[in-house]
Amino acid sequence: QIKLPNVCTQLLTSKMAAAAAAADDTIVKIQSMDSKIFEVPAQVAKMSVTLKNLIEDLGENVDTAIPIQNISAAILTKVIDYCTHHKDDEPPAADENAAISDKRLEPVTGWDLDFCKVDQATLFEMILAANYLDIKPMLDLTCKTVAEMIRGKTPEEIRKHFNIKNDFTPEEEEQVRRENEWCEEA
């Protein structure tokens, strides 16, 4: 084992800390489908598994923007807002099954509730963006928001709420009800 003089240890430690801080300060450029370029801290961008993989493949010091072909600037702004707000959140634990089932029953509150107060079209675009960019916590939040919209509603109320045309004949609808009676028992 090599013992470094105290000055060398301090110098090495400060250089490592500076390198870590520089890595945290790295800016990544992301380009929306409508050609708007966003400069985002790498830590924020890496909340997306898709972007994290791209950044690792391309290297963080790439000056060209990463094109995201199917997300508009308006939705990408919402994604960046979400990731910026939640960048310091702890990742879910490996044994999360019990915590997840409890979490699903809790209502959306606080900042997340305000974040999801958008029109339906925007909410569905946010779901698609979270799915495409592989941001599981955002996908869970936006899907939970939709689930809360339909909780306790009849199929007719859900169709009306989301403007869905009923393409079942009365006979087909009755058959589906009979086949799924077990759902009503729960």
Side-chain angles (χ1 to χ4, degrees), residues 57-169:
D57 290 347
L58 298 172
E60 287 188 8
N61 296 325
V62 175
D63 196 38
T64 57
I66 298 171
I68 308 295
Q69 293 300 320
N70 53 351
I71 301 175
S72 69
I75 299 302
L76 195 51
T77 299
K78 294 289 284 181
V79 169
I80 293 168
D81 288 348
Y82 178 88
C83 292
T84 300
H85 183 78
H86 289 284
K87 73 181 183 310
D88 296 322
D89 290 1
E90 288 291 320
D95 185 24
E96 60 186 34
N97 293 339
I100 286 178
S101 63
D102 291 342
K103 251 179 136 177
R104 287 186 181 154
L105 300 175
E106 295 174 10
V108 175
T109 59
W111 187 92
D112 287 342
L113 179 64
D114 292 336
F115 174 76
C116 289
K117 284 185 180 175
V118 294
D119 61 83
Q120 282 182 21
T122 301
L123 183 59
F124 288 128
E125 284 185 56
M126 288 165 50
I127 290 170
L128 293 172
N131 186 51
Y132 176 74
L133 291 172
D134 198 357
I135 307 171
K136 187 173 180 347
M138 182 178 167
L139 181 61
D140 290 346
L141 170 66
T142 50
C143 288
K144 182 176 182 177
T145 301
V146 172
E148 287 182 0
M149 289 176 171
I150 65 175
R151 184 175 288 134
K153 292 188 176 175
T154 65
E156 292 77 27
E157 291 171 327
I158 294 169
R159 284 189 199 105
K160 184 177 180 184
H161 186 84
F162 293 108
N163 197 25
I164 300 170
K165 181 181 176 265
N166 183 3
D167 55 357
F168 284 114
T169 65

